[in-house]
Amino acid sequence: GAVVSQHPSWVICKSGTSVKIECRSLDFQATTMFWYRQFPKQSLMLMATSNEGSKATYEQGVEKDKFLINHASLTLSTLTVTSAHPEDSSFYICSAKEIGRPNYGYTFGSGTRLTVV
Amino acid sequence: AQKVTQAQTEISVVEKEDVTLDCVYETRDTTYYLFWYKQPPSGELVFLIRRNSFDEQNEISGRYSWNFQKSTSSFNFTITASQVVDSAVYFCALSEAPPIGANSKLTFGKGITLSVRP
């Protein structure tokens, strides 16, 4: 089946540094990648939607300059948390939508647990 | 706007008990998709089921069964003879059918934490 590889699975960084999270679709082409954020014991909140080759669409309240999303190819999307602060500590998870499967086929990565100290 | 409500927040049962997780949704679309995902402590989301709005047939998969009722906008999930390995957070989610060429995001409920005790 469809697989999305997300790396790293966990990362600890110092406040003020930037962290890049990668999501790769391994055996399919993803037209769209969704990036979610999940605080402890809470639901997944959509941060942004990215389409290959175009700018990401951010949800209201999400700072696009802080959370940089790049979807340079049909198999790779990255989320960079710039100048991270402790409040950015969270679980980040991506989801890819496969070409030709418009309303299903949401394949999730395994998530990245970010801790900013 | 679409909305998913999972009124139960935490459920604790003893192994072998049956348990039902409730999900109520709101949408203006006539075409939509409903999902259930399982999130074990490790964090990854495990896909359990997808149901489109035109298919009201209930589904059974092993110990899992789903009851879709459009009349009450509910898509409930029942685990029969629960096991300790069923302990996880369970999310119900909704996706509306987008216009051609547009994207459709998943809207998640708040999740239900299920604890199955030996």
Side-chain angles (χ1 to χ4, degrees), chain A residues 18-62:
Chain A
S18 295
V19 174
K20 181 184 282 189
I21 301 169
E22 286 190 355
C23 272
R24 292 180 185 273
S25 55
L26 297 186
D27 48 3
F28 68 98
Q29 292 184 322
T31 46
T32 305
M33 282 276 196
F34 301 92
W35 286 93
Y36 294 85
R37 180 176 184 175
Q38 184 182 28
F39 289 108
K41 298 188 182 297
Q42 293 192 24
S43 188
L44 285 81
M45 300 302 298
L46 181 67
M47 299 174 66
T49 303
S50 73
N51 290 301
E52 183 262 341
S54 60
K55 290 184 179 179
T57 301
Y58 290 81
E59 295 296 302
Q60 192 173 10
V62 177

Side-chain angles (χ1 to χ4, degrees), chain B residues 4-42:
Chain B
V4 176
T5 301
Q6 295 180 264
Q8 304 151 308
T9 53
E10 295 185 14
I11 300 175
S12 181
V13 298
V14 177
E15 209 169 16
K16 297 185 182 177
E17 283 185 22
D18 297 347
V19 58
T20 295
L21 310 180
D22 298 333
C23 174
V24 174
Y25 62 91
E26 294 176 30
T27 177
R28 294 176 187 169
D29 275 13
T30 54
T31 303
Y32 50 89
Y33 297 80
L34 294 162
F35 302 76
W36 274 95
Y37 289 90
K38 173 182 179 180
Q39 187 177 42
S42 52

Side-chain angles (χ1 to χ4, degrees), chain B:
Chain B
Q2 52 191 16
K3 183 178 178 182
V4 176
T5 301
Q6 295 180 264
Q8 304 151 308
T9 53
E10 295 185 14
I11 300 175
S12 181
V13 298
V14 177
E15 209 169 16
K16 297 185 182 177
E17 283 185 22
D18 297 347
V19 58
T20 295
L21 310 180
D22 298 333
C23 174
V24 174
Y25 62 91
E26 294 176 30
T27 177
R28 294 176 187 169
D29 275 13
T30 54
T31 303
Y32 50 89
Y33 297 80
L34 294 162
F35 302 76
W36 274 95
Y37 289 90
K38 173 182 179 180
Q39 187 177 42
S42 52
E44 77 273 19
L45 280 178
V46 178
F47 168 80
L48 296 178
I49 191 171
R50 175 191 67 248
R51 172 65 78 233
N52 74 56
S53 53
F54 297 109
D55 182 2
E56 284 195 76
Q57 275 193 331
N58 291 328
E59 178 152 342
I60 298 175
S61 176
R63 296 184 297 107
Y64 295 169
S65 61
W66 290 269
N67 185 347
F68 177 28
Q69 302 241 344
K70 285 182 77 170
S71 60
T72 55
S73 297
S74 65
F75 187 42
N76 297 337
F77 172 31
T78 297
I79 301 174
T80 303
S82 59
Q83 300 176 1
V84 173
V85 294
D86 295 327
S87 297
V89 181
Y90 290 85
F91 290 99
C92 181
L94 166 71
S95 171
E96 293 174 336
I100 293 175
N103 297 310
S104 180
K105 63 183 182 182
L106 277 175
T107 297
F108 287 85
K110 292 187 175 181
I112 301 169
T113 300
L114 174 64
S115 299
V116 181
R117 309 187 305 277

Side-chain angles (χ1 to χ4, degrees), chain A residues 68-90:
Chain A
L68 300 179
I69 291 173
N70 184 282
H71 193 163
S73 76
L74 285 171
T75 58
L76 174 64
S77 179
T78 60
L79 166 67
T80 301
V81 182
T82 62
S83 188
H85 291 286
E87 57 266 30
D88 299 324
S89 298
S90 188

